Amino acid sequence: MTKTILFPTARERSWGWRYMLFSLFFLPSLLQLLFSAVGVSLNTTWLNLAYFSFNFLGILVINRHFLPNTVKDAAHRLLPVLLTAAVSFCVYWVANLALSWLIRLINPAHFNSNDQGIAAIAREQYLLTAVCVVFLVPLTEECLYRGAVFGSLYRKSKLAAYLVSTALFSLVHIDGWFGVTDIATLALSFLQYIPAGLCLAAAYEISGSIAAPILIHMAVNAIGILAMR
């Protein structure tokens, strides 16, 4: 398979890092202030859906050159991209099952706070949540954690690219639960996202196209949201 990897431009990667920090630390509060200022009262479910949607639009703007180029590039090497996505998904699934078994040995009562939060949103607005989780979130997160983070570090250090992108990807899935869930549960939840982070990055490197990790991410989230129905 080709070793040529299509990365976002340096400018897109730079703005990706900035947007990631903005999204993590400022966007939730700003959305609440915005809706309050216009007299709209939203519950947690709708605030989360607004957050997913705003992030998606932000990523489309930031990666307005990279994403169209990705579509053209993936079309030219469709088979390698699909094969890489399929194999990487299987590797992820096996690794995830093994890790889940290990976590159950450590703590049989373990629960993933992020999964429970998504399940709560899905109970109120299943269809909208499914659209966000299956389509909006994968593209958003892959452009941030694989495109911006992995892409920025890859040429300097492959090891750093894998470690940092995976660590940030895992952290973003538990950061909203600090102070709500105990540290031991958060630590185990953090570990649960490591197989996905590594496999998604590997799929990007091997296929050369971010389309591969996006497809994997969509498949994983689709299975998860269907299980919540």
Side-chain angles (χ1 to χ4, degrees):
M1 292 183 182
T2 179
K3 291 295 182 181
T4 302
I5 306 174
L6 180 63
F7 287 121
T9 64
R11 182 182 179 85
E12 288 172 325
R13 295 196 301 270
S14 176
W15 277 105
W17 276 94
R18 296 174 191 176
Y19 186 83
M20 178 179 63
L21 297 174
F22 167 75
S23 174
L24 286 174
F25 298 109
F26 301 106
L27 182 57
S29 298
L30 286 175
L31 285 175
Q32 287 182 318
L33 289 173
L34 174 63
F35 287 118
S36 296
V38 297
V40 177
S41 178
L42 298 181
N43 60 22
T44 303
T45 295
W46 283 103
L47 280 172
N48 275 285
L49 294 175
Y51 177 80
F52 294 149
S53 301
F54 191 95
N55 274 339
F56 178 74
L57 293 175
I59 291 304
L60 289 183
V61 172
I62 291 171
N63 294 276
R64 59 188 177 276
H65 301 299
F66 171 60
L67 289 174
N69 289 336
T70 291
V71 173
K72 295 176 184 177
D73 179 72
H76 284 101
R77 42 178 164 176
L78 184 59
L79 184 58
V81 168
L82 293 178
L83 286 175
T84 302
V87 173
S88 300
F89 175 83
C90 292
V91 172
Y92 156 74
W93 202 255
V94 171
N96 185 59
L97 288 175
L99 182 58
S100 297
W101 173 79
L102 180 60
I103 288 175
R104 283 196 298 271
L105 287 180
I106 298 172
N107 181 9
H110 174 71
F111 63 92
N112 187 296
S113 298
N114 184 64
D115 287 347
Q116 288 196 339
I118 296 296
I121 298 172
R123 283 194 293 271
E124 292 192 31
Q125 290 290 337
Y126 182 82
L127 183 57
L128 287 176
T129 302
V131 170
C132 288
V133 169
V134 177
F135 297 103
L136 307 191
V137 170
L139 186 143
T140 299
E141 293 187 351
E142 293 313 307
C143 284
L144 287 177
Y145 300 103
R146 255 59 64 183
V149 178
F150 185 83
S152 296
L153 299 173
Y154 183 80
R155 290 188 178 90
K156 300 173 184 177
S157 168
K158 288 186 182 182
L159 179 61
Y162 273 91
L163 293 180
V164 175
S165 63
T166 298
L168 289 175
F169 178 72
S170 299
L171 183 62
V172 75
H173 288 88
I174 66 169
D175 76 302
W177 302 98
F178 282 100
V180 178
T181 307
D182 64 275
I183 296 298
T185 298
L186 287 175
L188 290 176
S189 296
F190 179 91
L191 291 176
Q192 285 182 290
Y193 294 100
I194 290 179
L198 293 175
C199 288
L200 291 166
Y204 191 12
E205 180 184 19
I206 294 169
S207 69
S209 172
I210 205 168
I214 289 174
L215 290 173
I216 298 167
H217 204 149
M218 285 180 171
V220 171
N221 284 10
I223 292 171
I225 199 71
L226 285 172
M228 295 175 185
R229 186 151 193 172

